[in-house]
Amino acid sequence: MTETTSYHVSESGYYGEFGGAYIPEMLYANVEEIRTRYLDIISETAFQEEFNSLLKDYVGRPSPLYLAKSLSAKYGANIYLKREDLNHTGAHKINNTVGQILLAKRLGKKRIIAETGAGQHGVATATVCALMNLECIVYMGAVDIVRQAPNVARMQMLGAKVVPAESGSKTLKDATNEAIRDWINNAETTHYIIGSAIGPHPYPDLVTRFQAVVSEEIKWQLKEKTGQEYPNYVVACVGGGSNAAGAFYHFLDDDRVNLILAEAAGKGIDSGHSAATSILGSKGIIHGCMTLLMQTSDGQIVEPYSLSAGLDYPGIGPMHAHLIKSGRARVWAATDDEAMMAVIELSRSEGIIPALETAHALAILDRIGLKKNDHVVVNLSGRGDKDLNTYLTYIAEHNIQL
Ligand SMILES: *Cc1c(COP(=O)(O)O)cnc(C)c1O
């Protein structure tokens, strides 16, 4: 597999010009331990058996592939929803945390740290730590702790310690800094569970491989339903990029499959309140990798904005940066308003209340040029229970008649 013919990670940890491991020397040993051992560990038969059995009986996989009749009628194509919202804890994130906790155990780690913005990754991490009886510390910006109180309560219920990050803007990037500081100080005992397809190599590849179960299932489920084992389109929203990476993985080198990313335009791409990273971003280093990120001319991170807490991230995974730059994937941005309309539409037409993140993928379906008989898989990354307050507030503020 060479860099020019594949979209998978190269031996040296790159996706085209993106990726790599840009880390302080103090972290080199930690990351190197994972890099040199992850492929051997995750390909062991015993690891695979334990991972698959937990995905089946604990997470509830395989998640259904559902032909959405009303949406299909509306767009004149066959729209399938990959129901990651039905997983335990309500989203795709658990696929990754189950995989990483098993890796951490095999690396002999006793303590787990994570950072979280919206709290979804924190909950998924606290869940698997409770399951495996490992100590769990979740760093979270002090501002986010207030904004995401229900998820903080869930993490505490599960036995995790939630530590506020009080520096900077007191949001996700500050929580990441705290987590990295902890990791440097507790390298021997601690595994750092990153929640998206970002971070220094090998994290983007590690997370992607654990999420790849999504596209593995899509292949056989679609074949069972249609006789064709590849969709014409796979559509996924992108924050850091883990649900998209999982939904794309087994189709990356299959040109028959159009890969579509939906990012958050927030109040509009040029409004100054946006998280449309691929459009507004430029090449630089964030969270240990070379990728596209929103930054000022002197390289400071620009605070992103989206009504959706899970897409409110200033970077994008290095694999996605490469997919976009090379033209393999296309990206569209949906505003808060467009995503909210898609939330209401899916709730009413299919009886499924999606997460606000996910709704961005639904909101762009009318722009991608679907043709009759196309098979389109939308990755329904999560359910909307966590967003109900946001939905009701929005509906009240905009005088929407339900
Ligand atoms: C966290 C989250 C996302 C965004 O993260 P990715 O790593 O880009 O997938 C999308 N959807 C839901 C439901 C989430 O919880």
Side-chain angles (χ1 to χ4, degrees), residues 263-276 279-280 294 305-307 333-338 360:
E263 58 185 16
K267 294 184 178 169
I269 290 170
D270 300 317
S271 66
H273 302 276
S274 180
I279 299 159
L280 298 172
M294 291 164 52
Y305 166 84
S306 165
L307 184 60
T335 62
D336 291 348
D337 293 337
E338 289 165 340
H360 289 72

mmCIF file with all atom_site columns, all heavy atoms in Angstrom, residues 263-276 279-280 294 305-307 333-338 360:
data_model
loop_
_atom_site.group_PDB
_atom_site.id
_atom_site.type_symbol
_atom_site.label_atom_id
_atom_site.label_alt_id
_atom_site.label_comp_id
_atom_site.label_asym_id
_atom_site.label_entity_id
_atom_site.label_seq_id
_atom_site.pdbx_PDB_ins_code
_atom_site.Cartn_x
_atom_site.Cartn_y
_atom_site.Cartn_z
_atom_site.occupancy
_atom_site.B_iso_or_equiv
_atom_site.pdbx_formal_charge
_atom_site.auth_seq_id
_atom_site.auth_comp_id
_atom_site.auth_asym_id
_atom_site.auth_atom_id
_atom_site.pdbx_PDB_model_num
ATOM 1   N N   . GLU A 1 263 ? -20.082 19.368 7.329  1.00 0.00 ? 263 GLU A N   1
ATOM 2   C CA  . GLU A 1 263 ? -19.553 20.075 8.489  1.00 0.00 ? 263 GLU A CA  1
ATOM 3   C C   . GLU A 1 263 ? -20.498 21.191 8.911  1.00 0.00 ? 263 GLU A C   1
ATOM 4   O O   . GLU A 1 263 ? -21.475 21.501 8.230  1.00 0.00 ? 263 GLU A O   1
ATOM 5   C CB  . GLU A 1 263 ? -18.117 20.560 8.253  1.00 0.00 ? 263 GLU A CB  1
ATOM 6   C CG  . GLU A 1 263 ? -17.904 21.461 7.098  1.00 0.00 ? 263 GLU A CG  1
ATOM 7   C CD  . GLU A 1 263 ? -16.411 21.772 6.901  1.00 0.00 ? 263 GLU A CD  1
ATOM 8   O OE1 . GLU A 1 263 ? -15.542 21.086 7.452  1.00 0.00 ? 263 GLU A OE1 1
ATOM 9   O OE2 . GLU A 1 263 ? -16.128 22.725 6.175  1.00 0.00 ? 263 GLU A OE2 1
ATOM 10  N N   . ALA A 1 264 ? -20.181 21.791 10.067 1.00 0.00 ? 264 ALA A N   1
ATOM 11  C CA  . ALA A 1 264 ? -21.107 22.757 10.657 1.00 0.00 ? 264 ALA A CA  1
ATOM 12  C C   . ALA A 1 264 ? -20.751 24.173 10.231 1.00 0.00 ? 264 ALA A C   1
ATOM 13  O O   . ALA A 1 264 ? -19.678 24.680 10.557 1.00 0.00 ? 264 ALA A O   1
ATOM 14  C CB  . ALA A 1 264 ? -21.072 22.642 12.178 1.00 0.00 ? 264 ALA A CB  1
ATOM 15  N N   . ALA A 1 265 ? -21.673 24.822 9.514  1.00 0.00 ? 265 ALA A N   1
ATOM 16  C CA  . ALA A 1 265 ? -21.466 26.217 9.132  1.00 0.00 ? 265 ALA A CA  1
ATOM 17  C C   . ALA A 1 265 ? -21.850 27.162 10.266 1.00 0.00 ? 265 ALA A C   1
ATOM 18  O O   . ALA A 1 265 ? -21.602 28.359 10.173 1.00 0.00 ? 265 ALA A O   1
ATOM 19  C CB  . ALA A 1 265 ? -22.268 26.548 7.879  1.00 0.00 ? 265 ALA A CB  1
ATOM 20  N N   . GLY A 1 266 ? -22.495 26.635 11.315 1.00 0.00 ? 266 GLY A N   1
ATOM 21  C CA  . GLY A 1 266 ? -22.910 27.494 12.432 1.00 0.00 ? 266 GLY A CA  1
ATOM 22  C C   . GLY A 1 266 ? -23.916 28.527 11.955 1.00 0.00 ? 266 GLY A C   1
ATOM 23  O O   . GLY A 1 266 ? -24.929 28.195 11.358 1.00 0.00 ? 266 GLY A O   1
ATOM 24  N N   . LYS A 1 267 ? -23.615 29.818 12.189 1.00 0.00 ? 267 LYS A N   1
ATOM 25  C CA  . LYS A 1 267 ? -24.538 30.883 11.762 1.00 0.00 ? 267 LYS A CA  1
ATOM 26  C C   . LYS A 1 267 ? -24.288 31.294 10.317 1.00 0.00 ? 267 LYS A C   1
ATOM 27  O O   . LYS A 1 267 ? -24.862 32.274 9.832  1.00 0.00 ? 267 LYS A O   1
ATOM 28  C CB  . LYS A 1 267 ? -24.401 32.084 12.691 1.00 0.00 ? 267 LYS A CB  1
ATOM 29  C CG  . LYS A 1 267 ? -24.862 31.740 14.103 1.00 0.00 ? 267 LYS A CG  1
ATOM 30  C CD  . LYS A 1 267 ? -24.829 32.914 15.046 1.00 0.00 ? 267 LYS A CD  1
ATOM 31  C CE  . LYS A 1 267 ? -25.360 32.459 16.398 1.00 0.00 ? 267 LYS A CE  1
ATOM 32  N NZ  . LYS A 1 267 ? -25.155 33.421 17.464 1.00 0.00 ? 267 LYS A NZ  1
ATOM 33  N N   . GLY A 1 268 ? -23.409 30.584 9.619  1.00 0.00 ? 268 GLY A N   1
ATOM 34  C CA  . GLY A 1 268 ? -23.059 30.916 8.236  1.00 0.00 ? 268 GLY A CA  1
ATOM 35  C C   . GLY A 1 268 ? -21.552 30.921 8.107  1.00 0.00 ? 268 GLY A C   1
ATOM 36  O O   . GLY A 1 268 ? -20.853 31.343 9.027  1.00 0.00 ? 268 GLY A O   1
ATOM 37  N N   . ILE A 1 269 ? -21.046 30.452 6.962  1.00 0.00 ? 269 ILE A N   1
ATOM 38  C CA  . ILE A 1 269 ? -19.605 30.261 6.818  1.00 0.00 ? 269 ILE A CA  1
ATOM 39  C C   . ILE A 1 269 ? -18.829 31.558 7.067  1.00 0.00 ? 269 ILE A C   1
ATOM 40  O O   . ILE A 1 269 ? -17.783 31.560 7.706  1.00 0.00 ? 269 ILE A O   1
ATOM 41  C CB  . ILE A 1 269 ? -19.279 29.676 5.427  1.00 0.00 ? 269 ILE A CB  1
ATOM 42  C CG1 . ILE A 1 269 ? -19.772 28.224 5.371  1.00 0.00 ? 269 ILE A CG1 1
ATOM 43  C CG2 . ILE A 1 269 ? -17.792 29.741 5.132  1.00 0.00 ? 269 ILE A CG2 1
ATOM 44  C CD1 . ILE A 1 269 ? -19.737 27.598 4.010  1.00 0.00 ? 269 ILE A CD1 1
ATOM 45  N N   . ASP A 1 270 ? -19.385 32.682 6.570  1.00 0.00 ? 270 ASP A N   1
ATOM 46  C CA  . ASP A 1 270 ? -18.663 33.954 6.711  1.00 0.00 ? 270 ASP A CA  1
ATOM 47  C C   . ASP A 1 270 ? -19.166 34.822 7.864  1.00 0.00 ? 270 ASP A C   1
ATOM 48  O O   . ASP A 1 270 ? -18.887 36.018 7.917  1.00 0.00 ? 270 ASP A O   1
ATOM 49  C CB  . ASP A 1 270 ? -18.762 34.746 5.394  1.00 0.00 ? 270 ASP A CB  1
ATOM 50  C CG  . ASP A 1 270 ? -18.154 33.950 4.244  1.00 0.00 ? 270 ASP A CG  1
ATOM 51  O OD1 . ASP A 1 270 ? -17.083 33.359 4.458  1.00 0.00 ? 270 ASP A OD1 1
ATOM 52  O OD2 . ASP A 1 270 ? -18.764 33.902 3.163  1.00 0.00 ? 270 ASP A OD2 1
ATOM 53  N N   . SER A 1 271 ? -19.911 34.211 8.787  1.00 0.00 ? 271 SER A N   1
ATOM 54  C CA  . SER A 1 271 ? -20.544 34.993 9.858  1.00 0.00 ? 271 SER A CA  1
ATOM 55  C C   . SER A 1 271 ? -19.604 35.280 11.026 1.00 0.00 ? 271 SER A C   1
ATOM 56  O O   . SER A 1 271 ? -19.918 36.051 11.921 1.00 0.00 ? 271 SER A O   1
ATOM 57  C CB  . SER A 1 271 ? -21.748 34.226 10.396 1.00 0.00 ? 271 SER A CB  1
ATOM 58  O OG  . SER A 1 271 ? -21.300 33.037 11.044 1.00 0.00 ? 271 SER A OG  1
ATOM 59  N N   . GLY A 1 272 ? -18.451 34.615 11.035 1.00 0.00 ? 272 GLY A N   1
ATOM 60  C CA  . GLY A 1 272 ? -17.580 34.725 12.209 1.00 0.00 ? 272 GLY A CA  1
ATOM 61  C C   . GLY A 1 272 ? -18.014 33.784 13.328 1.00 0.00 ? 272 GLY A C   1
ATOM 62  O O   . GLY A 1 272 ? -17.370 33.716 14.374 1.00 0.00 ? 272 GLY A O   1
ATOM 63  N N   . HIS A 1 273 ? -19.096 33.036 13.100 1.00 0.00 ? 273 HIS A N   1
ATOM 64  C CA  . HIS A 1 273 ? -19.570 32.052 14.073 1.00 0.00 ? 273 HIS A CA  1
ATOM 65  C C   . HIS A 1 273 ? -19.788 30.737 13.324 1.00 0.00 ? 273 HIS A C   1
ATOM 66  O O   . HIS A 1 273 ? -20.917 30.421 12.941 1.00 0.00 ? 273 HIS A O   1
ATOM 67  C CB  . HIS A 1 273 ? -20.874 32.507 14.736 1.00 0.00 ? 273 HIS A CB  1
ATOM 68  C CG  . HIS A 1 273 ? -20.763 33.826 15.425 1.00 0.00 ? 273 HIS A CG  1
ATOM 69  N ND1 . HIS A 1 273 ? -20.277 33.940 16.709 1.00 0.00 ? 273 HIS A ND1 1
ATOM 70  C CD2 . HIS A 1 273 ? -21.039 35.075 15.008 1.00 0.00 ? 273 HIS A CD2 1
ATOM 71  C CE1 . HIS A 1 273 ? -20.271 35.223 17.054 1.00 0.00 ? 273 HIS A CE1 1
ATOM 72  N NE2 . HIS A 1 273 ? -20.722 35.931 16.039 1.00 0.00 ? 273 HIS A NE2 1
ATOM 73  N N   . SER A 1 274 ? -18.701 30.026 13.086 1.00 0.00 ? 274 SER A N   1
ATOM 74  C CA  . SER A 1 274 ? -18.783 28.850 12.230 1.00 0.00 ? 274 SER A CA  1
ATOM 75  C C   . SER A 1 274 ? -17.775 27.806 12.688 1.00 0.00 ? 274 SER A C   1
ATOM 76  O O   . SER A 1 274 ? -16.831 28.104 13.412 1.00 0.00 ? 274 SER A O   1
ATOM 77  C CB  . SER A 1 274 ? -18.482 29.255 10.780 1.00 0.00 ? 274 SER A CB  1
ATOM 78  O OG  . SER A 1 274 ? -18.555 28.132 9.936  1.00 0.00 ? 274 SER A OG  1
ATOM 79  N N   . ALA A 1 275 ? -18.012 26.562 12.267 1.00 0.00 ? 275 ALA A N   1
ATOM 80  C CA  . ALA A 1 275 ? -17.033 25.498 12.522 1.00 0.00 ? 275 ALA A CA  1
ATOM 81  C C   . ALA A 1 275 ? -16.747 24.762 11.211 1.00 0.00 ? 275 ALA A C   1
ATOM 82  O O   . ALA A 1 275 ? -16.441 23.580 11.203 1.00 0.00 ? 275 ALA A O   1
ATOM 83  C CB  . ALA A 1 275 ? -17.550 24.543 13.600 1.00 0.00 ? 275 ALA A CB  1
ATOM 84  N N   . ALA A 1 276 ? -16.881 25.488 10.082 1.00 0.00 ? 276 ALA A N   1
ATOM 85  C CA  . ALA A 1 276 ? -16.646 24.880 8.762  1.00 0.00 ? 276 ALA A CA  1
ATOM 86  C C   . ALA A 1 276 ? -15.141 24.804 8.494  1.00 0.00 ? 276 ALA A C   1
ATOM 87  O O   . ALA A 1 276 ? -14.578 25.557 7.713  1.00 0.00 ? 276 ALA A O   1
ATOM 88  C CB  . ALA A 1 276 ? -17.369 25.682 7.680  1.00 0.00 ? 276 ALA A CB  1
ATOM 89  N N   . ILE A 1 279 ? -13.336 24.599 4.988  1.00 0.00 ? 279 ILE A N   1
ATOM 90  C CA  . ILE A 1 279 ? -13.436 25.801 4.150  1.00 0.00 ? 279 ILE A CA  1
ATOM 91  C C   . ILE A 1 279 ? -12.652 26.952 4.786  1.00 0.00 ? 279 ILE A C   1
ATOM 92  O O   . ILE A 1 279 ? -11.896 27.655 4.122  1.00 0.00 ? 279 ILE A O   1
ATOM 93  C CB  . ILE A 1 279 ? -14.911 26.194 3.957  1.00 0.00 ? 279 ILE A CB  1
ATOM 94  C CG1 . ILE A 1 279 ? -15.650 25.041 3.237  1.00 0.00 ? 279 ILE A CG1 1
ATOM 95  C CG2 . ILE A 1 279 ? -15.037 27.504 3.174  1.00 0.00 ? 279 ILE A CG2 1
ATOM 96  C CD1 . ILE A 1 279 ? -17.146 25.044 3.422  1.00 0.00 ? 279 ILE A CD1 1
ATOM 97  N N   . LEU A 1 280 ? -12.805 27.130 6.086  1.00 0.00 ? 280 LEU A N   1
ATOM 98  C CA  . LEU A 1 280 ? -12.176 28.259 6.778  1.00 0.00 ? 280 LEU A CA  1
ATOM 99  C C   . LEU A 1 280 ? -10.766 27.928 7.267  1.00 0.00 ? 280 LEU A C   1
ATOM 100 O O   . LEU A 1 280 ? -10.012 28.813 7.653  1.00 0.00 ? 280 LEU A O   1
ATOM 101 C CB  . LEU A 1 280 ? -13.031 28.667 7.984  1.00 0.00 ? 280 LEU A CB  1
ATOM 102 C CG  . LEU A 1 280 ? -14.443 29.158 7.655  1.00 0.00 ? 280 LEU A CG  1
ATOM 103 C CD1 . LEU A 1 280 ? -15.257 29.335 8.933  1.00 0.00 ? 280 LEU A CD1 1
ATOM 104 C CD2 . LEU A 1 280 ? -14.390 30.459 6.865  1.00 0.00 ? 280 LEU A CD2 1
ATOM 105 N N   . MET A 1 294 ? -8.790  25.899 11.959 1.00 0.00 ? 294 MET A N   1
ATOM 106 C CA  . MET A 1 294 ? -9.130  27.320 11.947 1.00 0.00 ? 294 MET A CA  1
ATOM 107 C C   . MET A 1 294 ? -8.137  28.047 12.827 1.00 0.00 ? 294 MET A C   1
ATOM 108 O O   . MET A 1 294 ? -8.054  27.792 14.025 1.00 0.00 ? 294 MET A O   1
ATOM 109 C CB  . MET A 1 294 ? -10.567 27.513 12.465 1.00 0.00 ? 294 MET A CB  1
ATOM 110 C CG  . MET A 1 294 ? -11.617 26.964 11.502 1.00 0.00 ? 294 MET A CG  1
ATOM 111 S SD  . MET A 1 294 ? -13.257 26.756 12.234 1.00 0.00 ? 294 MET A SD  1
ATOM 112 C CE  . MET A 1 294 ? -13.538 28.349 12.950 1.00 0.00 ? 294 MET A CE  1
ATOM 113 N N   . TYR A 1 305 ? -17.598 27.858 16.308 1.00 0.00 ? 305 TYR A N   1
ATOM 114 C CA  . TYR A 1 305 ? -18.966 27.921 16.818 1.00 0.00 ? 305 TYR A CA  1
ATOM 115 C C   . TYR A 1 305 ? -19.887 26.996 16.025 1.00 0.00 ? 305 TYR A C   1
ATOM 116 O O   . TYR A 1 305 ? -19.869 26.979 14.789 1.00 0.00 ? 305 TYR A O   1
ATOM 117 C CB  . TYR A 1 305 ? -19.546 29.346 16.728 1.00 0.00 ? 305 TYR A CB  1
ATOM 118 C CG  . TYR A 1 305 ? -21.047 29.294 16.926 1.00 0.00 ? 305 TYR A CG  1
ATOM 119 C CD1 . TYR A 1 305 ? -21.588 29.277 18.208 1.00 0.00 ? 305 TYR A CD1 1
ATOM 120 C CD2 . TYR A 1 305 ? -21.913 29.141 15.830 1.00 0.00 ? 305 TYR A CD2 1
ATOM 121 C CE1 . TYR A 1 305 ? -22.960 29.135 18.401 1.00 0.00 ? 305 TYR A CE1 1
ATOM 122 C CE2 . TYR A 1 305 ? -23.286 29.001 16.017 1.00 0.00 ? 305 TYR A CE2 1
ATOM 123 C CZ  . TYR A 1 305 ? -23.800 28.987 17.295 1.00 0.00 ? 305 TYR A CZ  1
ATOM 124 O OH  . TYR A 1 305 ? -25.140 28.817 17.483 1.00 0.00 ? 305 TYR A OH  1
ATOM 125 N N   . SER A 1 306 ? -20.665 26.228 16.738 1.00 0.00 ? 306 SER A N   1
ATOM 126 C CA  . SER A 1 306 ? -21.811 25.528 16.153 1.00 0.00 ? 306 SER A CA  1
ATOM 127 C C   . SER A 1 306 ? -22.806 25.329 17.277 1.00 0.00 ? 306 SER A C   1
ATOM 128 O O   . SER A 1 306 ? -22.413 25.124 18.421 1.00 0.00 ? 306 SER A O   1
ATOM 129 C CB  . SER A 1 306 ? -21.376 24.174 15.579 1.00 0.00 ? 306 SER A CB  1
ATOM 130 O OG  . SER A 1 306 ? -22.511 23.351 15.331 1.00 0.00 ? 306 SER A OG  1
ATOM 131 N N   . LEU A 1 307 ? -24.092 25.373 16.940 1.00 0.00 ? 307 LEU A N   1
ATOM 132 C CA  . LEU A 1 307 ? -25.120 25.070 17.942 1.00 0.00 ? 307 LEU A CA  1
ATOM 133 C C   . LEU A 1 307 ? -24.933 23.636 18.433 1.00 0.00 ? 307 LEU A C   1
ATOM 134 O O   . LEU A 1 307 ? -25.294 23.286 19.548 1.00 0.00 ? 307 LEU A O   1
ATOM 135 C CB  . LEU A 1 307 ? -26.513 25.253 17.309 1.00 0.00 ? 307 LEU A CB  1
ATOM 136 C CG  . LEU A 1 307 ? -27.731 25.087 18.219 1.00 0.00 ? 307 LEU A CG  1
ATOM 137 C CD1 . LEU A 1 307 ? -27.719 26.089 19.373 1.00 0.00 ? 307 LEU A CD1 1
ATOM 138 C CD2 . LEU A 1 307 ? -29.027 25.246 17.406 1.00 0.00 ? 307 LEU A CD2 1
ATOM 139 N N   . ALA A 1 333 ? -21.325 22.300 3.922  1.00 0.00 ? 333 ALA A N   1
ATOM 140 C CA  . ALA A 1 333 ? -21.559 22.812 5.275  1.00 0.00 ? 333 ALA A CA  1
ATOM 141 C C   . ALA A 1 333 ? -23.035 23.151 5.448  1.00 0.00 ? 333 ALA A C   1
ATOM 142 O O   . ALA A 1 333 ? -23.643 23.756 4.569  1.00 0.00 ? 333 ALA A O   1
ATOM 143 C CB  . ALA A 1 333 ? -20.699 24.054 5.520  1.00 0.00 ? 333 ALA A CB  1
ATOM 144 N N   . ALA A 1 334 ? -23.592 22.756 6.579  1.00 0.00 ? 334 ALA A N   1
ATOM 145 C CA  . ALA A 1 334 ? -24.979 23.084 6.905  1.00 0.00 ? 334 ALA A CA  1
ATOM 146 C C   . ALA A 1 334 ? -25.003 24.036 8.094  1.00 0.00 ? 334 ALA A C   1
ATOM 147 O O   . ALA A 1 334 ? -24.215 23.875 9.037  1.00 0.00 ? 334 ALA A O   1
ATOM 148 C CB  . ALA A 1 334 ? -25.761 21.815 7.227  1.00 0.00 ? 334 ALA A CB  1
ATOM 149 N N   . THR A 1 335 ? -25.883 25.014 8.049  1.00 0.00 ? 335 THR A N   1
ATOM 150 C CA  . THR A 1 335 ? -26.002 25.970 9.160  1.00 0.00 ? 335 THR A CA  1
ATOM 151 C C   . THR A 1 335 ? -26.801 25.348 10.306 1.00 0.00 ? 335 THR A C   1
ATOM 152 O O   . THR A 1 335 ? -27.447 24.311 10.148 1.00 0.00 ? 335 THR A O   1
ATOM 153 C CB  . THR A 1 335 ? -26.739 27.252 8.714  1.00 0.00 ? 335 THR A CB  1
ATOM 154 O OG1 . THR A 1 335 ? -28.065 26.893 8.314  1.00 0.00 ? 335 THR A OG1 1
ATOM 155 C CG2 . THR A 1 335 ? -26.021 27.938 7.561  1.00 0.00 ? 335 THR A CG2 1
ATOM 156 N N   . ASP A 1 336 ? -26.769 26.034 11.450 1.00 0.00 ? 336 ASP A N   1
ATOM 157 C CA  . ASP A 1 336 ? -27.598 25.633 12.591 1.00 0.00 ? 336 ASP A CA  1
ATOM 158 C C   . ASP A 1 336 ? -29.058 25.494 12.148 1.00 0.00 ? 336 ASP A C   1
ATOM 159 O O   . ASP A 1 336 ? -29.729 24.510 12.480 1.00 0.00 ? 336 ASP A O   1
ATOM 160 C CB  . ASP A 1 336 ? -27.580 26.732 13.680 1.00 0.00 ? 336 ASP A CB  1
ATOM 161 C CG  . ASP A 1 336 ? -26.232 26.867 14.370 1.00 0.00 ? 336 ASP A CG  1
ATOM 162 O OD1 . ASP A 1 336 ? -25.362 25.996 14.188 1.00 0.00 ? 336 ASP A OD1 1
ATOM 163 O OD2 . ASP A 1 336 ? -26.053 27.870 15.103 1.00 0.00 ? 336 ASP A OD2 1
ATOM 164 N N   . ASP A 1 337 ? -29.545 26.516 11.419 1.00 0.00 ? 337 ASP A N   1
ATOM 165 C CA  . ASP A 1 337 ? -30.955 26.520 11.014 1.00 0.00 ? 337 ASP A CA  1
ATOM 166 C C   . ASP A 1 337 ? -31.278 25.337 10.107 1.00 0.00 ? 337 ASP A C   1
ATOM 167 O O   . ASP A 1 337 ? -32.308 24.683 10.266 1.00 0.00 ? 337 ASP A O   1
ATOM 168 C CB  . ASP A 1 337 ? -31.300 27.832 10.283 1.00 0.00 ? 337 ASP A CB  1
ATOM 169 C CG  . ASP A 1 337 ? -31.242 29.031 11.218 1.00 0.00 ? 337 ASP A CG  1
ATOM 170 O OD1 . ASP A 1 337 ? -31.376 28.846 12.443 1.00 0.00 ? 337 ASP A OD1 1
ATOM 171 O OD2 . ASP A 1 337 ? -31.051 30.164 10.722 1.00 0.00 ? 337 ASP A OD2 1
ATOM 172 N N   . GLU A 1 338 ? -30.387 25.078 9.152  1.00 0.00 ? 338 GLU A N   1
ATOM 173 C CA  . GLU A 1 338 ? -30.630 23.951 8.238  1.00 0.00 ? 338 GLU A CA  1
ATOM 174 C C   . GLU A 1 338 ? -30.631 22.621 8.990  1.00 0.00 ? 338 GLU A C   1
ATOM 175 O O   . GLU A 1 338 ? -31.452 21.738 8.737  1.00 0.00 ? 338 GLU A O   1
ATOM 176 C CB  . GLU A 1 338 ? -29.563 23.943 7.127  1.00 0.00 ? 338 GLU A CB  1
ATOM 177 C CG  . GLU A 1 338 ? -29.736 25.097 6.145  1.00 0.00 ? 338 GLU A CG  1
ATOM 178 C CD  . GLU A 1 338 ? -28.513 25.336 5.260  1.00 0.00 ? 338 GLU A CD  1
ATOM 179 O OE1 . GLU A 1 338 ? -27.387 24.902 5.617  1.00 0.00 ? 338 GLU A OE1 1
ATOM 180 O OE2 . GLU A 1 338 ? -28.678 25.985 4.210  1.00 0.00 ? 338 GLU A OE2 1
ATOM 181 N N   . HIS A 1 360 ? -26.769 17.496 10.525 1.00 0.00 ? 360 HIS A N   1
ATOM 182 C CA  . HIS A 1 360 ? -26.011 18.194 9.480  1.00 0.00 ? 360 HIS A CA  1
ATOM 183 C C   . HIS A 1 360 ? -25.840 17.309 8.247  1.00 0.00 ? 360 HIS A C   1
ATOM 184 O O   . HIS A 1 360 ? -25.833 17.803 7.124  1.00 0.00 ? 360 HIS A O   1
ATOM 185 C CB  . HIS A 1 360 ? -24.645 18.640 10.015 1.00 0.00 ? 360 HIS A CB  1
ATOM 186 C CG  . HIS A 1 360 ? -24.725 19.767 11.000 1.00 0.00 ? 360 HIS A CG  1
ATOM 187 N ND1 . HIS A 1 360 ? -25.215 19.597 12.279 1.00 0.00 ? 360 HIS A ND1 1
ATOM 188 C CD2 . HIS A 1 360 ? -24.422 21.085 10.886 1.00 0.00 ? 360 HIS A CD2 1
ATOM 189 C CE1 . HIS A 1 360 ? -25.181 20.771 12.919 1.00 0.00 ? 360 HIS A CE1 1
ATOM 190 N NE2 . HIS A 1 360 ? -24.704 21.683 12.094 1.00 0.00 ? 360 HIS A NE2 1
#
